[in-house]
Amino acid sequence: MSGTFRFLDDIAMADMAFEAEGDSLSALFDAATEALLHSLADPASVTPTWRRTLDLSEPDIETLLFEWLSRLVYLKDADGVVFHRASLTLAQEPGGSAWHLHADVTGAPVDPAKQELRSDVKGVTKHLYAVTQDGNRWTARVVLDV
């Protein structure tokens, strides 16, 4: 993986923020996904007993990343899980009319006795949300409501 993330302690005092970077859109999505997974629990402490396959399409990359991260938060709450891993692929529709994300997500039901749980993220916010490109480098800034 050629993407990175770092938590931004000085951006949102009551919430949690991170900045993800990658040298491609795929690397950016991987890094942002890893940041969200790590904000919920230590993925290494989550045994992959739960699995979902997801497909999302949105007209632009900014909306697709926002909806993808929001979907993970929704699954955390709806299925009562934390995540071990998310493998994803991105593709642009012919003609550039939309972006498509396909993901295989693994995790397990929340179990504080077995997992290193971290924050209970309530949602992804639009506050300071940005996806930018500088040459081949992509960056996303995300604030999570905790």
Side-chain angles (χ1 to χ4, degrees), residues 67-109:
E67 292 301 324
W68 162 242
L69 297 174
S70 296
R71 179 70 57 94
L72 289 173
V73 173
Y74 169 79
L75 286 172
K76 183 241 342 154
D77 290 332
D79 290 2
V81 298
V82 286
F83 307 102
H84 174 73
R85 184 163 185 218
S87 300
L88 35 117
T89 57
L90 289 172
Q92 191 170 24
E93 299 282 329
S97 62
W99 285 89
H100 182 75
L101 178 142
H102 174 82
D104 291 311
V105 184
T106 59

Side-chain angles (χ1 to χ4, degrees), residues 14-145:
D15 295 324
M16 176 184 295
F18 66 84
E19 186 173 81
E21 296 182 328
D23 57 8
S24 67
L25 280 173
S26 293
L28 173 68
F29 271 68
D30 286 340
T33 301
E34 284 295 309
L36 179 59
L37 271 55
H38 280 265
S39 71
L40 300 171
D42 178 359
S45 71
V46 179
T47 304
T49 59
W50 173 95
R51 181 182 175 146
R52 290 291 180 275
T53 298
L54 302 168
D55 288 287
L56 297 171
S57 290
E58 295 294 340
D60 57 71
I61 210 67
E62 295 86 2
T63 305
L64 183 60
L65 180 62
F66 185 87
E67 292 301 324
W68 162 242
L69 297 174
S70 296
R71 179 70 57 94
L72 289 173
V73 173
Y74 169 79
L75 286 172
K76 183 241 342 154
D77 290 332
D79 290 2
V81 298
V82 286
F83 307 102
H84 174 73
R85 184 163 185 218
S87 300
L88 35 117
T89 57
L90 289 172
Q92 191 170 24
E93 299 282 329
S97 62
W99 285 89
H100 182 75
L101 178 142
H102 174 82
D104 291 311
V105 184
T106 59
V110 172
D111 185 349
K114 295 180 180 177
Q115 300 156 346
E116 182 187 322
L117 301 177
R118 294 181 175 153
S119 299
D120 183 16
V121 175
K122 307 272 190 277
V124 180
T125 74
K126 294 276 183 160
H127 178 65
L128 300 175
Y129 179 76
V131 177
T132 58
Q133 180 184 16
D134 183 14
N136 289 334
R137 197 81 183 150
W138 287 87
T139 303
R141 179 169 285 178
V142 179
V143 176
L144 304 172
D145 180 16

